[in-house]
Amino acid sequence: MVKMVVVEHLLDLAGFYQLPFDVKDEKSVDIYVPDEDAIVRGRLDFLVFKNQLWLAIIESKNAGVSIREAIPQTLAYMLANPQADRPIFGLLTNGDDFVFMKLTQQDIPKYALSDKFTLLKRENELYRVLSIMKKLGQLFS
């Protein structure tokens, strides 16, 4: 429900459903785990890309689930990015709270999280989330 009610509208308002971007939902990815010689399969909630360059992965959870639970899953998906020489961004949400993530993999994978934006304040922070999404879109268009 969070995907339909919140995320799809944010993607539309941020301009990600327009050229030069493409959005895939429920995209399957395979992640190779060398230590265990295994392949882990997963499904991205949303993948925003331009040509073959992955720009952002969006992971949504149900409203009652903490965003913290989405961090390991999203990082695993981000590590599957075929262009490991470029940073990739993520957005984690449960419909009430939003956190942006950035991953770089040049030498050693490093990630950073933004502050948490929430709808549960007097001043609704959804506009700030949309503003950040638009800025990311401008950087990559």
Side-chain angles (χ1 to χ4, degrees), residues 118-128:
T118 184
L119 304 181
L120 305 176
K121 287 186 179 176
R122 265 188 213 151
E123 182 184 326
N124 184 327
E125 294 181 320
L126 190 59
Y127 298 110
R128 292 182 67 198

Side-chain angles (χ1 to χ4, degrees), residues 17-115:
Y17 285 125
Q18 300 168 11
L19 292 175
F21 302 109
D22 199 359
V23 176
K24 298 288 183 208
D25 65 337
E26 297 296 326
K27 171 138 175 63
S28 295
V29 293
D30 293 341
I31 303 160
Y32 177 67
V33 183
D35 294 347
E36 299 176 17
D37 196 30
I39 294 177
V40 177
R41 290 183 169 81
R43 288 187 164 276
L44 305 171
D45 285 344
F46 289 96
L47 172 63
V48 177
F49 62 98
K50 178 181 171 185
N51 300 324
Q52 296 299 315
L53 173 63
W54 289 18
L55 305 176
I57 292 173
I58 300 171
E59 182 63 31
S60 59
K61 297 295 182 191
N62 294 328
V65 176
S66 169
I67 286 179
R68 281 187 302 248
E69 293 184 28
I71 293 172
Q73 180 181 3
T74 305
L75 279 172
Y77 292 153
M78 292 170 90
L79 287 167
N81 176 11
Q83 294 87 13
D85 60 323
R86 302 188 122 186
I88 186 168
F89 297 88
L91 173 62
L92 316 172
T93 184
N94 61 8
D96 289 334
D97 300 321
F98 300 82
V99 172
F100 289 93
M101 180 183 291
K102 178 182 178 183
L103 175 71
T104 57
Q105 300 184 62
Q106 275 69 24
D107 297 322
I108 298 171
K110 297 177 187 172
Y111 77 95
L113 300 172
S114 72
D115 291 334

Side-chain angles (χ1 to χ4, degrees), residues 124-136:
N124 184 327
E125 294 181 320
L126 190 59
Y127 298 110
R128 292 182 67 198
V129 170
L130 179 58
S131 175
I132 292 168
M133 290 177 71
K134 284 183 175 184
K135 278 206 185 305
L136 286 173

